[in-house]
Amino acid sequence: APRRRLQSSLAHAAESSSRHVPPPPETTRADEFSNEPLPQYRKLVRTGVLRGDDHQTRIIQKLQDLHDKLLNYHPPRIPPPPAPSLFSRIRSSLDESFRINTDPIAPPPNAPKGLYLYGDVGTGKTMLMDLFYSTLPAGIKRKRRVHFHAFMIDVHKRIHAIKARAGNVGDPILPVARDLANEASVLCFDEFQVTDIADAMILRRLLESLLNFGVVCVMTSNRHPDDLYKNGIQRSSFIPTIELLKTQFEVTDLDSGTDYRRMARAASSIKPYHHPLSPQTSKTIDSIFESLTQSERVVQNRKLQIWGRTLLIPASTSNVAKFTFQELCGNPLSAADYLEITRVFGTVFLLDVWKMGVDRKDLARRFITFIDACYESKTRLFITSEVPIYQVFAGEPEKTEGMSDHMRGVMDDLGLSPDLVGKSSMFTGEEEIFAFARACSRLVQMESKEWAETAGMGAVGAADESNN
């Protein structure tokens, strides 16, 4: 879906440029049709979709260099898992002695070195990642672009499944890495960051095994590898992972002094978050809903099947759904429900969001989970609320001196003030504070022009998923 959206944007930009703007001297006619990082970046700059930046151009050149290396890179065949010995059921601890292990112990000599791109909020990390992924050589059939948080959830699920089958015998990291390598020879991680000790303990073995299997990784992060997992529990055990990143990846700073996320030109004329609740707010949101659904009949109480259960969608077309806050967050829905809703519907309206006190943490957690699902699925979101986003989670003011240096660093990464976030007693744990801050940051990003132009196009459509 991101590739289709980007190609559509590029096609529109190319059409506009052919009518109004002559190509710059460094762009040849062949570049107009070249699906490579550097030519496509120049096209976006020339047509005004992006603002030219010499520093960013140098980063694009690194992506172009990696693209060129991948043209002639043929990932090695992934060896099958070693067969267990005849005595494995009797003496499982001796299995390794009776196995023929063909797993590699070093990266292939012809494998390109991966990229680790780091920079502050607003430096264009996600845009660069999308541009690189959408222009990967056609010969790269096995590829994956994933948010790092979602990737680690997937990894932990695979580890759990392997342990359940093997009865906690042996190392589960290697078979997980083997499966991942079979699925993708190029892995693109967005927002690489380590805040959990469980992730920190397995990352070195996981990344090392992926590289040995010939997987080429590109990562974006808010931090230099040396600053990852600062003040984390047992950080000394994470140091080998940091050294691996610094030696096996080309570490590049994205900061150029320009915050693209906060530039005025990026603001969308249609805001996703509307407050307070008033007749004027209702009139505005009704007008937006009607403009997006005018070509289709709005269906009441459409049935959506999720894992054998039926979820009623109060009002919807094939790509647009509308809920009240009570309907979406006041009921005991799970992350799986929200992920399915955002998968099916490209645009969601959430009306009458409450101001939540400490007695309604369940509502707050569901709301945050829903915002995260919208962000990960690139769902276009419209919200009406009685208060601004920073006041949704209300509680008695409390001091923030107890917030750790690590958590303050996370707040800085998100471009948010720890003092502002910490004023609500709704959240006492660092995990909860981070989740709230991330939701606020994502809602701010949803107000950008870039988000408005690309969100809402990747859903499968309710007509394909519904029995109605």
PDB file of all heavy atoms in Angstrom, residues 424-435:
ATOM      1  N   SER A 424      -0.586  14.652  34.561  1.00  0.00           N
ATOM      2  CA  SER A 424      -1.752  13.833  34.825  1.00  0.00           C
ATOM      3  C   SER A 424      -1.383  12.656  35.720  1.00  0.00           C
ATOM      4  O   SER A 424      -0.419  11.951  35.458  1.00  0.00           O
ATOM      5  CB  SER A 424      -2.338  13.307  33.510  1.00  0.00           C
ATOM      6  OG  SER A 424      -3.372  12.390  33.783  1.00  0.00           O
ATOM      7  N   SER A 425      -2.168  12.464  36.768  1.00  0.00           N
ATOM      8  CA  SER A 425      -1.930  11.323  37.656  1.00  0.00           C
ATOM      9  C   SER A 425      -2.534  10.045  37.078  1.00  0.00           C
ATOM     10  O   SER A 425      -2.489   8.999  37.702  1.00  0.00           O
ATOM     11  CB  SER A 425      -2.542  11.593  39.029  1.00  0.00           C
ATOM     12  OG  SER A 425      -3.944  11.782  38.908  1.00  0.00           O
ATOM     13  N   MET A 426      -3.101  10.146  35.858  1.00  0.00           N
ATOM     14  CA  MET A 426      -3.628   8.949  35.193  1.00  0.00           C
ATOM     15  C   MET A 426      -2.539   7.905  35.018  1.00  0.00           C
ATOM     16  O   MET A 426      -2.781   6.715  35.070  1.00  0.00           O
ATOM     17  CB  MET A 426      -4.172   9.336  33.812  1.00  0.00           C
ATOM     18  CG  MET A 426      -5.586   9.871  33.844  1.00  0.00           C
ATOM     19  SD  MET A 426      -6.776   8.563  34.131  1.00  0.00           S
ATOM     20  CE  MET A 426      -6.640   7.655  32.590  1.00  0.00           C
ATOM     21  N   PHE A 427      -1.315   8.362  34.792  1.00  0.00           N
ATOM     22  CA  PHE A 427      -0.247   7.440  34.423  1.00  0.00           C
ATOM     23  C   PHE A 427       0.867   7.511  35.455  1.00  0.00           C
ATOM     24  O   PHE A 427       1.476   8.549  35.659  1.00  0.00           O
ATOM     25  CB  PHE A 427       0.284   7.782  33.028  1.00  0.00           C
ATOM     26  CG  PHE A 427      -0.801   7.809  31.997  1.00  0.00           C
ATOM     27  CD1 PHE A 427      -1.266   9.003  31.492  1.00  0.00           C
ATOM     28  CD2 PHE A 427      -1.373   6.627  31.560  1.00  0.00           C
ATOM     29  CE1 PHE A 427      -2.286   9.020  30.549  1.00  0.00           C
ATOM     30  CE2 PHE A 427      -2.396   6.638  30.623  1.00  0.00           C
ATOM     31  CZ  PHE A 427      -2.850   7.849  30.121  1.00  0.00           C
ATOM     32  N   THR A 428       1.125   6.380  36.089  1.00  0.00           N
ATOM     33  CA  THR A 428       2.145   6.325  37.120  1.00  0.00           C
ATOM     34  C   THR A 428       3.385   5.580  36.667  1.00  0.00           C
ATOM     35  O   THR A 428       4.472   5.840  37.157  1.00  0.00           O
ATOM     36  CB  THR A 428       1.570   5.650  38.379  1.00  0.00           C
ATOM     37  OG1 THR A 428       1.020   4.381  38.004  1.00  0.00           O
ATOM     38  CG2 THR A 428       0.463   6.501  38.982  1.00  0.00           C
ATOM     39  N   GLY A 429       3.241   4.653  35.749  1.00  0.00           N
ATOM     40  CA  GLY A 429       4.381   3.888  35.257  1.00  0.00           C
ATOM     41  C   GLY A 429       4.958   4.502  33.999  1.00  0.00           C
ATOM     42  O   GLY A 429       4.268   5.171  33.224  1.00  0.00           O
ATOM     43  N   GLU A 430       6.264   4.286  33.782  1.00  0.00           N
ATOM     44  CA  GLU A 430       6.913   4.849  32.598  1.00  0.00           C
ATOM     45  C   GLU A 430       6.316   4.295  31.315  1.00  0.00           C
ATOM     46  O   GLU A 430       6.206   4.989  30.307  1.00  0.00           O
ATOM     47  CB  GLU A 430       8.414   4.574  32.649  1.00  0.00           C
ATOM     48  CG  GLU A 430       9.132   5.359  33.733  1.00  0.00           C
ATOM     49  CD  GLU A 430      10.636   5.366  33.546  1.00  0.00           C
ATOM     50  OE1 GLU A 430      11.123   4.628  32.678  1.00  0.00           O
ATOM     51  OE2 GLU A 430      11.310   6.118  34.256  1.00  0.00           O
ATOM     52  N   GLU A 431       5.905   3.018  31.352  1.00  0.00           N
ATOM     53  CA  GLU A 431       5.322   2.420  30.157  1.00  0.00           C
ATOM     54  C   GLU A 431       4.049   3.148  29.761  1.00  0.00           C
ATOM     55  O   GLU A 431       3.800   3.436  28.587  1.00  0.00           O
ATOM     56  CB  GLU A 431       5.010   0.947  30.442  1.00  0.00           C
ATOM     57  CG  GLU A 431       5.339   0.010  29.277  1.00  0.00           C
ATOM     58  CD  GLU A 431       5.121  -1.437  29.662  1.00  0.00           C
ATOM     59  OE1 GLU A 431       5.957  -1.987  30.395  1.00  0.00           O
ATOM     60  OE2 GLU A 431       4.107  -1.993  29.226  1.00  0.00           O
ATOM     61  N   GLU A 432       3.206   3.490  30.763  1.00  0.00           N
ATOM     62  CA  GLU A 432       1.958   4.190  30.482  1.00  0.00           C
ATOM     63  C   GLU A 432       2.230   5.610  29.991  1.00  0.00           C
ATOM     64  O   GLU A 432       1.579   6.096  29.062  1.00  0.00           O
ATOM     65  CB  GLU A 432       1.095   4.232  31.747  1.00  0.00           C
ATOM     66  CG  GLU A 432       0.534   2.883  32.160  1.00  0.00           C
ATOM     67  CD  GLU A 432      -0.322   2.984  33.406  1.00  0.00           C
ATOM     68  OE1 GLU A 432       0.085   3.731  34.323  1.00  0.00           O
ATOM     69  OE2 GLU A 432      -1.375   2.354  33.465  1.00  0.00           O
ATOM     70  N   ILE A 433       3.197   6.281  30.610  1.00  0.00           N
ATOM     71  CA  ILE A 433       3.528   7.642  30.195  1.00  0.00           C
ATOM     72  C   ILE A 433       4.017   7.648  28.754  1.00  0.00           C
ATOM     73  O   ILE A 433       3.627   8.496  27.939  1.00  0.00           O
ATOM     74  CB  ILE A 433       4.608   8.248  31.123  1.00  0.00           C
ATOM     75  CG1 ILE A 433       4.051   8.419  32.544  1.00  0.00           C
ATOM     76  CG2 ILE A 433       5.085   9.598  30.596  1.00  0.00           C
ATOM     77  CD1 ILE A 433       5.097   8.819  33.562  1.00  0.00           C
ATOM     78  N   PHE A 434       4.850   6.695  28.426  1.00  0.00           N
ATOM     79  CA  PHE A 434       5.364   6.626  27.064  1.00  0.00           C
ATOM     80  C   PHE A 434       4.235   6.390  26.064  1.00  0.00           C
ATOM     81  O   PHE A 434       4.178   7.013  25.005  1.00  0.00           O
ATOM     82  CB  PHE A 434       6.404   5.517  26.944  1.00  0.00           C
ATOM     83  CG  PHE A 434       6.844   5.272  25.526  1.00  0.00           C
ATOM     84  CD1 PHE A 434       7.711   6.147  24.904  1.00  0.00           C
ATOM     85  CD2 PHE A 434       6.363   4.193  24.815  1.00  0.00           C
ATOM     86  CE1 PHE A 434       8.098   5.942  23.592  1.00  0.00           C
ATOM     87  CE2 PHE A 434       6.747   3.978  23.498  1.00  0.00           C
ATOM     88  CZ  PHE A 434       7.622   4.854  22.889  1.00  0.00           C
ATOM     89  N   ALA A 435       3.317   5.470  26.397  1.00  0.00           N
ATOM     90  CA  ALA A 435       2.214   5.162  25.483  1.00  0.00           C
ATOM     91  C   ALA A 435       1.345   6.396  25.245  1.00  0.00           C
ATOM     92  O   ALA A 435       0.941   6.680  24.115  1.00  0.00           O
ATOM     93  CB  ALA A 435       1.375   4.019  26.048  1.00  0.00           C
TER      94      ALA A 435
END
